[in-house]
Amino acid sequence: TVYAMVAGWQAVGFTHGVLNTDNMSILGLTLDYGPFGWMEQFDPQYTPNLSDGGRRYCYIRQPEMAAWNLTQLAEALVRARLLSAKEAEAACGAYNGALRAEYYRRLSDKFGIQCEDDEVGDFCRGFLQRLASSRADFTLSHRALGQCASVAAALGPSASDDELLRPLEETMLGAGA
């Protein structure tokens, strides 16, 4: 499905580059791969598409662009009388919730904790904010999270975010933070 595809991209730092309506399938596939790219330094505005000066198809906007594409499809199906307006609205409305749940499931798998929990979610969002401000390597920083689990086990629930993220300092400092 589209929401699972996009959540997967967001979780691993993949950017399609040209996520317009004719490059998407309702089967959860995309066509016309290129220019696509994998984010090295974490930059929410990253796009591999050099002609995308407005950053329409950048990493952070992929969920929004997929939703827009689905809305265009739904509107076409309503005009063709293959779907009622109510059905189209329900289907489009379900996308954001399904995307969010799948994205947090994937983040939870990466972090080894339930990222949907408000308190833990703050930690996960804080991690991504630190990645953005440090421009640290997306993949290497996630790998360093394995060391954070050891710190969490040793210090317990009273550990601060700074204590938990200490193993990432080298990765982030190496990026110029």
Side-chain angles (χ1 to χ4, degrees), residues 1-14 19 24-30 33 38 59 62-63 66-67 70 91 94-107 109:
T1 61
V2 173
Y3 74 85
M5 174 185 65
V6 175
W9 292 350
Q10 298 302 105
V12 298
F14 176 82
L19 197 55
M24 284 190 66
S25 161
I26 59 173
L27 300 176
L29 308 168
T30 59
Y33 278 99
W38 297 91
Y59 168 81
Q62 290 184 127
L70 290 171
Y95 167 80
N96 285 329
L99 171 76
R100 178 176 160 52
E102 180 65 14
Y103 176 67
Y104 277 113
R105 185 193 67 75
R106 289 175 184 249
L107 278 187
D109 288 349

Side-chain angles (χ1 to χ4, degrees), residues 9 14-20 23 30-38 46-53 55 57-59 62:
W9 292 350
F14 176 82
T15 305
H16 183 280
V18 189
L19 197 55
N20 47 18
N23 290 336
T30 59
L31 313 166
D32 190 22
Y33 278 99
F36 63 86
W38 297 91
Y46 170 73
T47 181
N49 184 346
L50 299 178
S51 66
D52 186 15
R55 301 281 191 246
Y57 303 116
C58 70
Y59 168 81
Q62 290 184 127

